[in-house]
Amino acid sequence: MAEVRRHRNGPVTYALRLAVVAYLVLLIGWPLALVGTHAFENGTEAIRGIFEDPDMVAALRLTAVAAVVATAINTVFGVAVSLLLVRNEFPGKRVLSALIDLPLSVSPIVVGLALVLVYGGRDGWFGPTLESAGIEVIFSTPGIVMATAFVALPLVIREVVPVLKEVGTEQEQAARSLGASGWQTFWRITLPSIKWAVVYGVVLTLARSLGEFGAVKVVSGNVLGETRTATLAVEEKYLNFDQEGAYAIAFLLASVSVLAILIVSVLRAIGARQATR
Amino acid sequence: MSTVAESRRGIALPALGHDLTRASGIGLGLAMTWFSLLVLIPLAAVMVTASTTGWSGFWSVVTNDQTAAAIRLTVTAAAGVTLFNVVTGTAIAWVLVRDRFPGKWLLEVVIDVPFALPTIVAGLVLVSLYGVDSPLGLHWANTSMSVWLAFAFVTLPFVVRMVQPVLDELEADVEEAAASLGASRFTVFRRIVLPSLVPAIAAGAALSFARAMGEYGSLVLLSGNLPFESEVTSVRILSAIENDNRAGAAAIASLLLLISLLVIVALDIIQRRVARRG
């Protein structure tokens, strides 16, 4: 298809190509490469230093745990809401479908503030009740997980909904008419057909969750070795003039996000090739 | 199949009909409960807390000199960067769809970097090229330019990723007909391609504006948060939170929330208009 549309390559084509490449290199490519070179200025010493510091290991572990839990929650919620939105009619569906996208355009600081106002231990709406039941949300891991889940909420849904719309219900109806239970139909028919969309959604959610900063900063309290996440540690190290350490953690985080993008783009390319075959 | 088992597993069950079955009703209930606890009630709390001081309280918070300056800077930079993205984003999408050259896949990957890169890392990478030790000699850190730069970085993918699929689907024959009738390439673009891209560009612009309005993470290390110079709205909210001035924080936050809501409504209208046409 692309072949047919190709225009002859005039000077405009080359000028546009050059401008786009230059802009992307200056804005993203070059700065990103600099993080790598800064992190390895003294060989692998800076990275080793991170893994030898128990507080930094704790920060990395907390980030990983929060991201995995938030991703698991968002995946189950995302698949369920996608099915509800695509396969059912119910009052308020249009409002729900619009509101689902809200977390993408709310400032992370506002997310943090919103959670503190409701779950804050001292004077939140539900905080004191939860606190007396022994559940601490704000300044603790549950708060970090909630902030992370909030900011990444729509990512799975945005991937799954278009695919669900496209596959339709024929196969599901066939399975049901042959006596499969709803549960069997879901596992054997529906889930396999949206498998890749779920995988993209999970990878994107994981990448987004590992990197959340603003919302986590507000809800975590940033206690060294306890509620300090990896992104908070980047800020702390940079502001304390430990630039090498900051670049080392930044490099680790950046590697994960670039890897996530690469995985998704390779899977998409394979998917597109299979679709055209 | 037993109804008891079905209701217990309810959340993931697909319903085939159009009306809610009992299982998907339970699923809907669970999903809405979680959505309310996580998103709706907390956001409502922001609005309620903001309203406790009344209209005069709200007005005095947002017209405070420093806050007003921050809001002005954020709105100006967000709108400016969005306009810039409308042009560059469309150009980038055009190159990705219509041009072919070795290494193009690398551009595809680079476009998505701002989506996945932690914002604090984004700030750090920008400092390394545009900060004190800039290899380019551009010392933009701690100036209002840094706000424009950070906004341009984090909002880059929105217009590109909305326009790209639409451009990809466009049929070539109308363009070819126009060209064979003597229209220049620019005329073909302006009269034939651009009108079909407008909804996608508008949607991308709305997302880009909303994202820029609330941006925080990428600015922490880059902008220096100097009052009246490079301090944005999110930073004002954070300092109010840190000073334990929750009502003040909520007042500014509700202003941002209102803008987010307007964007959501605009997007919904655009998408509905497109769906009706298509």
Side-chain angles (χ1 to χ4, degrees):
Chain A
M1 286 210 319
E3 235 71 47
V4 190
R5 285 193 210 122
R6 253 180 105 194
H7 292 272
R8 69 207 143 73
N9 283 348
V12 180
T13 312
Y14 287 112
L16 202 58
R17 185 192 298 176
L18 189 71
V20 163
V21 171
Y23 178 58
L24 291 178
V25 165
L26 279 175
L27 190 62
I28 300 170
W30 194 357
L32 196 61
L34 280 178
V35 172
T37 55
H38 280 304
F40 290 101
E41 227 153 34
N42 300 314
T44 55
E45 192 190 307
I47 303 273
R48 271 211 315 275
I50 298 301
F51 286 109
E52 279 160 10
D53 181 348
D55 289 332
M56 288 305 114
V57 174
L60 289 173
R61 189 181 303 134
L62 176 60
T63 294
V65 168
V68 168
V69 175
T71 305
I73 294 172
N74 281 1
T75 306
V76 174
F77 175 79
V79 172
V81 168
S82 306
L83 282 167
L84 289 165
L85 285 177
V86 177
R87 297 276 194 266
N88 294 282
E89 290 299 329
F90 52 88
K93 180 171 144 173
R94 182 176 166 188
V95 176
L96 177 65
S97 146
L99 282 178
I100 286 286
D101 277 341
L102 195 58
L104 282 187
S105 56
V106 175
S107 169
I109 298 295
V110 177
V111 173
L113 173 68
L115 291 173
V116 168
L117 289 175
V118 173
Y119 299 101
R122 196 157 35 94
D123 45 14
W125 285 6
F126 304 156
T129 319
L130 288 170
E131 199 114 299
S132 57
I135 306 167
E136 199 191 11
V137 178
I138 302 301
F139 304 139
S140 174
T141 315
I144 297 175
V145 170
M146 286 185 86
T148 309
F150 189 127
V151 296
L153 193 74
L155 297 176
V156 171
I157 299 168
R158 289 173 79 94
E159 295 293 330
V160 173
V161 163
V163 178
L164 262 184
K165 278 188 183 152
E166 209 168 298
V167 296
T169 56
E170 279 175 28
Q171 286 194 319
E172 288 170 17
Q173 271 161 354
R176 290 300 286 264
S177 70
L178 291 170
S181 71
W183 193 236
Q184 281 174 324
T185 315
F186 173 72
W187 279 107
R188 302 264 182 88
I189 309 289
T190 315
L191 199 56
S193 62
I194 57 170
K195 181 175 61 181
W196 291 116
V198 175
V199 171
Y200 300 147
V202 167
V203 174
L204 292 174
T205 306
L206 202 59
R208 181 77 180 78
S209 305
L210 285 172
E212 182 42 35
F213 174 73
V216 168
K217 185 173 176 172
V218 177
V219 300
S220 74
N222 199 2
V223 180
L224 183 65
E226 278 178 47
T227 58
R228 178 168 301 168
T229 64
T231 47
L232 294 172
V234 173
E235 182 195 16
E236 204 64 35
K237 281 202 176 292
Y238 189 86
L239 296 179
N240 290 328
F241 305 104
D242 178 8
Q243 295 213 1
E244 211 181 53
Y247 278 115
I249 308 173
F251 175 78
L252 292 175
L253 289 168
S255 316
V256 177
S257 37
V258 171
L259 192 69
I261 301 169
L262 283 175
I263 290 172
V264 170
S265 70
V266 167
L267 288 176
R268 284 226 162 101
I270 294 170
R273 203 170 304 155
Q274 280 172 349
T276 52
R277 206 173 273 166
Chain B
M1 115 191 103
S2 81
T3 39
V4 180
E6 188 181 312
S7 60
R8 193 152 32 82
R9 299 150 168 171
I11 189 156
L13 268 172
L16 300 170
H18 277 290
D19 291 320
L20 284 179
T21 63
R22 194 172 152 207
S24 42
I26 293 166
L28 183 65
L30 283 175
M32 281 313 295
T33 308
W34 173 240
F35 189 59
S36 306
L37 285 173
L38 186 67
V39 178
L40 297 180
I41 297 173
L43 292 184
V46 172
M47 293 299 199
V48 169
T49 311
S51 70
T52 50
T53 57
W55 176 250
S56 59
F58 172 82
W59 193 245
S60 71
V61 168
V62 296
T63 52
N64 162 290
D65 276 351
Q66 200 179 338
T67 308
I71 294 173
R72 208 173 307 127
L73 171 68
T74 316
V75 173
T76 318
V81 164
T82 300
L83 280 178
F84 184 69
N85 280 340
V86 164
V87 179
T88 53
T90 311
I92 293 170
W94 177 275
V95 168
L96 288 177
V97 174
R98 299 288 173 95
D99 203 355
R100 286 196 160 190
F101 51 94
K104 201 178 88 175
W105 67 272
L106 204 60
L107 289 193
E108 289 273 1
V109 173
V110 164
I111 298 287
D112 279 336
V113 165
F115 267 153
L117 198 69
T119 49
I120 185 80
V121 178
L124 195 63
V125 306
L126 290 173
V127 165
S128 68
L129 189 56
Y130 299 96
V132 220
D133 307 321
S134 170
L136 287 170
L138 295 169
H139 302 302
W140 286 351
N142 305 334
T143 68
S144 58
M145 265 313 286
S146 64
V147 176
W148 289 71
L149 184 66
F151 284 4
F153 186 97
V154 296
T155 61
L156 174 85
F158 291 105
V159 174
V160 181
R161 288 301 184 220
M162 293 305 274
V163 172
Q164 202 181 355
V166 181
L167 199 55
D168 208 31
E169 299 264 293
L170 276 189
E171 297 298 337
D173 37 6
V174 188
E175 287 173 54
E176 278 159 14
S180 71
L181 291 171
S184 70
R185 282 180 71 182
F186 181 69
T187 312
V188 172
F189 178 76
R190 192 170 55 91
R191 303 289 292 275
I192 297 182
V193 180
L194 201 55
S196 37
L197 296 184
V198 165
I201 294 176
L207 286 171
S208 156
F209 182 74
R211 174 68 207 266
M213 280 303 297
E215 183 51 25
Y216 171 70
S218 59
L219 290 162
V220 179
L221 305 179
L222 188 64
S223 77
N225 302 331
L226 306 171
F228 301 103
E229 168 71 31
S230 61
E231 192 182 45
V232 296
T233 317
S234 301
V235 175
R236 287 300 292 160
I237 302 175
L238 187 65
S239 19
I241 298 172
E242 281 167 351
N243 293 329
D244 226 11
N245 174 13
R246 296 220 172 139
I252 314 173
S254 62
L255 197 67
L256 284 189
L257 267 182
L258 213 62
I259 295 173
S260 310
L261 275 174
L262 285 178
V263 168
I264 291 286
V265 171
L267 271 178
D268 193 63
I269 292 171
I270 294 168
Q271 272 159 5
R272 249 142 231 284
R273 194 159 293 172
V274 175
R276 215 182 302 145
R277 212 182 286 166

